[in-house]
Amino acid sequence: MRFSLSYRDLEELLAERGVEVDHVSLYRWVQRLTLLVVDAARPCRHAVGCRWFVDETYVKVSGAWRYVYRAVDQHGQVVDVYVSTRRDIAAARTFFTAALIAHGEPEEVATDRAHALQSAIAEVLPVAFHNTAQYANNRVECDHGWLKARLRHMRGLKTDPTARVII
């Protein structure tokens, strides 16, 4: 997951080292084991920071566009991810509610001036400082670039659960 390799490239690398495995098996291992690795690594991660950088981007899942709400803290680690079919206030509210349950309330949230995010923050996080300065959320915008580069080699996502695990 760390490097921009397709499953076929990974299959070829393993074959050079004497491990015969199919790219579909690698795909299934990623789907099954990624969540276990994340849970095992959780104690070693930094605590989620008090400044969140939130933005939405879009990805294609089985030919249909999906919106991905993502939050990154000041340390650069992903706080939470939510894949939605719609880009509206309800989706933003769902994203923030899940992130708050998992990680607590931040002191500052930096976003662009998207109406859905502004409304959801005013409703769900009324005491947090909402930073909408021009370059405030560059950290998460750069993180979107990493995500898009990773997905480019994968030839797309086929289902919403797959998108949630990979993203």
Side-chain angles (χ1 to χ4, degrees):
M1 297 300 295
R2 172 71 178 94
F3 300 103
S4 297
L5 295 171
S6 68
Y7 295 122
R8 291 179 191 269
D9 290 341
L10 194 55
E11 174 186 6
E12 186 178 324
L13 285 172
L14 289 172
E16 290 174 0
R17 289 162 176 78
V19 179
E20 292 296 324
V21 65
D22 190 44
H23 64 277
V24 176
S25 297
L26 292 170
Y27 168 80
R28 290 180 181 149
W29 292 347
V30 167
Q31 295 302 309
R32 187 169 297 134
L33 301 176
T34 298
L35 298 175
L36 296 174
V37 170
V38 168
D39 288 339
R42 192 165 313 224
C44 301
R45 290 179 58 186
H46 290 284
V48 172
C50 60
R51 292 175 56 210
W52 291 3
F53 302 89
V54 180
D55 195 26
E56 74 280 343
T57 187
Y58 53 90
V59 296
K60 207 171 241 189
V61 178
S62 68
W65 290 106
R66 297 286 192 262
Y67 294 97
V68 178
Y69 288 88
R70 301 179 76 228
V72 176
D73 70 356
Q74 72 263 26
H75 304 296
Q77 69 181 359
V78 177
V79 175
D80 208 351
V81 173
Y82 178 68
V83 179
S84 173
T85 57
R86 304 189 65 116
R87 181 182 170 201
D88 57 2
I89 296 171
R93 185 183 315 118
T94 303
F95 166 72
F96 278 113
T97 303
L100 289 175
I101 290 170
H103 303 290
E105 193 166 320
E107 295 175 8
E108 177 184 348
V109 178
T111 67
D112 53 6
R113 293 182 181 95
H115 177 69
L117 292 174
Q118 288 180 347
S119 298
I121 290 171
E123 183 180 323
V124 178
L125 294 165
V127 294
F129 173 65
H130 185 200
N131 188 356
T132 58
Q134 184 173 6
Y135 301 110
N137 70 337
N138 274 1
R139 182 178 299 267
V140 72
E141 294 287 353
C142 291
D143 202 54
H144 288 332
W146 173 86
L147 172 67
K148 297 290 179 119
R150 173 72 182 116
L151 294 178
R152 190 172 301 119
H153 295 285
M154 294 180 58
R155 297 182 181 177
L157 301 165
K158 299 300 180 202
T159 63
D160 285 340
T162 300
R164 288 185 191 101
V165 169
I166 297 296
I167 295 171

